[in-house]
Amino acid sequence: MYQDEIKEAVRNAYSGISTGGGHPVARRFYSESELAEIPEGSIEWALGVGNPVRYAFLQPGETVLDVGSGGGIDTILAARRVGPLGTAIGLDIVDEMRARGRRHAAAAGVSGWTEFLRGEMEAIPLPDGSVDVVISNGVLNLSARKSRALAEIFRVLRPGGRICLADLTVEGELPPEVANDQSAWSG
Ligand SMILES: C[S@@+](CC[C@H](N)C(=O)[O-])C[C@H]1O[C@@H](n2cnc3c(N)ncnc32)[C@H](O)[C@@H]1O
């Protein structure tokens, strides 16, 4: 498949879904106390594969970017850690996801220092060196241009900035019937 076909398949898949993983997914990766910090809607829309915020050691006042923020579960947890003197930015290509993220951030009371940006991880709409920490959860694997996405993450990080990713990895080669399957790319 061509890169643009993969991007469209992924975008269509995530614009079209009607629910996230909910409590069964969230309980696998987040503690009871972490879940108590976020609104029910963001738990309902959990679609990640880990818990990057737990290992990012976010500090009050930092600027954090959540690449592929979905319903905002990690963006909101990050916003709690950086506090009102910091900034939490969710980035997503799907309009519906950003709208959910905004609703959930408002319900969590962190809207004042949280924003959701429209854009692609392969062309992040932020200036060079503008972010202290990049987190991402289950998103890099969806890119047909992973090196490009990582280069963009590196570009927006300030010197000495940090990255904390939770994602899927592949050892060896994917069989062609998987590598050429649109639903496998999105799923
Ligand atoms: C598996 S979900 C994970 C969502 C969220 N990180 C979480 O843990 O619940 C993947 C998210 O990445 C977004 N996404 C997919 N391709 C993207 C791209 N090229 N740039 C930015 N976001 C993208 C999707 O719209 C979706 O919201």
Side-chain angles (χ1 to χ4, degrees), residues 1 24 51 86 97 130:
M1 284 195 301
N51 184 336
M97 289 297 188
S130 56

Side-chain angles (χ1 to χ4, degrees), residues 10 14 47-48 68 70 92-94 97 119-122 137-139 142:
V10 168
Y14 285 97
L47 285 165
D92 208 286
I93 43 167
V94 170
M97 289 297 188
E120 301 174 5
M121 60 182 140
E122 299 85 355
N137 193 353
V139 181
L142 301 171

Side-chain angles (χ1 to χ4, degrees), residues 18 55 59 61 67 82 87-88 101 107 132 146 154 156 167 182:
S18 55
Y55 303 101
Q59 302 300 315
V67 171
V82 300
T87 308
D132 296 303
K146 294 175 178 55
F154 184 73
V156 300
D167 224 305
Q182 289 198 354

Side-chain angles (χ1 to χ4, degrees), residues 87-165:
T87 308
I89 306 166
L91 173 80
D92 208 286
I93 43 167
V94 170
D95 296 343
E96 293 86 341
M97 289 297 188
R98 291 193 311 280
R100 281 180 198 112
R102 279 188 202 106
R103 270 202 309 277
H104 300 152
V110 299
S111 296
W113 61 99
T114 304
E115 56 188 288
F116 288 87
L117 276 185
R118 173 185 206 155
E120 301 174 5
M121 60 182 140
E122 299 85 355
I124 299 176
L126 287 173
D128 298 359
S130 56
V131 168
D132 296 303
V133 186
V134 172
I135 57 169
S136 185
N137 193 353
V139 181
L140 265 288
N141 73 90
L142 301 171
S143 179
R145 302 173 70 204
K146 294 175 178 55
S147 301
R148 170 75 196 173
L150 285 166
E152 275 293 273
I153 288 170
F154 184 73
R155 179 185 66 74
V156 300
L157 278 172
R158 67 165 172 75
R162 315 190 298 283
I163 176 168
C164 193
L165 305 177

Side-chain angles (χ1 to χ4, degrees), residues 4-18 45 92-97 100 142 182-183 185-187:
D4 283 350
E5 280 180 77
I6 292 170
K7 198 193 300 178
E8 268 323 290
V10 168
R11 188 198 300 266
N12 290 338
Y14 285 97
S15 339
I17 54 176
S18 55
W45 277 93
D92 208 286
I93 43 167
V94 170
D95 296 343
E96 293 86 341
M97 289 297 188
R100 281 180 198 112
L142 301 171
Q182 289 198 354
S183 59
W185 269 98
S186 331

